[in-house]
Amino acid sequence: MWVAWTLVGDEKFYLIAGIILFFTMGKGAGVSAAVAVLFSGSLNIALKYSLNLPRPPREFWRAEASEPSFPSGHSQVSTSFWTSIVLQVRRKTLAVFSIITVTGVSLSRAFLMVHYPWDVAGGVLIGFACGLFSVKGFGFKNVKPWLQPLASTILISIVNIANGWEVSASQALLGLASSFTLASSIIDRSMRIPDSLSLPERLAMGLGVSLVALLVYISSASIPYGILAGFFLLGLFMASTPLSYGRFKKIL
């Protein structure tokens, strides 16, 4: 049971979930959910390796783990993701479901003995702040709220890569954050399209781009900075997909 819960908190799971919600959530709410995953993921890597706190002794582990211990990446990223959604959708049932999910993921890391309780608690608190930041930003009126954590993601990811911290993951985060920032005006126009589409159409776009993301990660992993370039192009493709589909549908 705890292994199943911990899989729900995996960072790759939320990267795919963020891509799907980018297309399926109405009124552009999915953008903030995707940004929450990018920002929280990059910050988690920076905090882990900067603090470099050890995990519990390996002989107690009930699942495989790597990297330093604090804060728990599973707890942090899952909390960021669900916080960003709840703040935008504001439904009690969704809030309860989110609390149950985050609690299950967080407890699984402690029960599998790959994190100390304070790693999990720190991950939840930091994750909540990241989710809030992805929706609200710093409160600057002239800057879109989701652009502010993207700028932070770019800076943090550059530092992570320069220090050799989780280089592959940091390249992916930097590539997506950079392309989203450059294509912000395209995203604004694209996010008006999904509201006029059916849910199956939006799901098809999300699942299709998720498959492309997996192929990009697998095919570019062995190329120097290939993941960075691949995910930068993926971000542009992701941003323009709703517009392209809308135009294609008009032609038909």
Side-chain angles (χ1 to χ4, degrees), residues 80-248:
S80 301
F81 179 82
W82 290 110
T83 297
S84 68
I85 294 174
V86 170
L87 286 173
Q88 297 176 95
V89 178
R90 295 183 180 276
R91 291 182 182 172
K92 290 183 179 180
T93 51
L94 179 61
V96 171
F97 177 81
S98 302
I99 291 170
I100 292 172
T101 301
V102 170
T103 301
V105 169
S106 300
L107 288 176
S108 74
R109 304 308 286 167
F111 275 98
L112 292 173
M113 297 297 290
V114 291
H115 278 292
Y116 293 107
W118 51 84
D119 299 334
V120 172
V124 170
L125 291 174
I126 296 169
F128 178 78
C130 291
L132 183 64
F133 184 34
S134 72
V135 176
K136 301 294 185 179
F138 283 121
F140 298 136
K141 294 182 179 180
N142 297 326
V143 182
K144 299 181 187 70
W146 53 268
L147 274 177
Q148 298 167 47
L150 277 182
S152 302
T153 302
I154 292 172
L155 293 174
I156 295 170
S157 295
I158 290 173
V159 172
N160 291 343
I161 293 171
N163 284 293
W165 298 340
E166 291 293 300
V167 173
S168 294
S170 296
Q171 283 188 48
L173 295 169
L174 176 59
L176 284 174
S178 300
S179 58
F180 283 0
T181 303
L182 290 175
S184 61
S185 60
I186 297 175
I187 290 175
D188 283 339
R189 286 183 285 141
S190 285
M191 286 302 98
R192 301 188 192 110
I193 304 296
D195 293 333
S196 63
L197 302 177
S198 66
L199 181 59
E201 287 176 304
R202 288 179 279 165
L203 274 174
M205 282 193 289
L207 292 171
V209 175
S210 298
L211 178 59
V212 173
L214 291 174
L215 293 174
V216 167
Y217 192 86
I218 293 170
S219 61
S220 60
S222 60
I223 304 171
Y225 292 98
I227 294 177
L228 174 59
F231 273 81
F232 178 82
L233 295 175
L234 174 69
L236 296 179
F237 174 66
M238 185 173 167
S240 59
T241 294
L243 277 178
S244 301
Y245 181 78
R247 290 169 183 167
F248 177 73

Side-chain angles (χ1 to χ4, degrees), residues 37-103:
V37 173
L38 298 180
F39 175 62
S40 189
S42 63
L43 181 61
N44 183 260
I45 292 171
L47 289 174
K48 273 187 173 179
Y49 284 91
S50 296
L51 299 171
N52 199 30
L53 298 178
R55 290 184 183 269
R58 192 179 186 90
E59 57 266 26
F60 297 122
W61 292 6
R62 296 171 184 171
E64 285 302 311
S66 59
E67 306 99 35
S69 189
F70 182 90
S72 165
H74 286 67
S75 301
Q76 182 180 326
V77 174
S78 61
T79 303
S80 301
F81 179 82
W82 290 110
T83 297
S84 68
I85 294 174
V86 170
L87 286 173
Q88 297 176 95
V89 178
R90 295 183 180 276
R91 291 182 182 172
K92 290 183 179 180
T93 51
L94 179 61
V96 171
F97 177 81
S98 302
I99 291 170
I100 292 172
T101 301
V102 170
T103 301

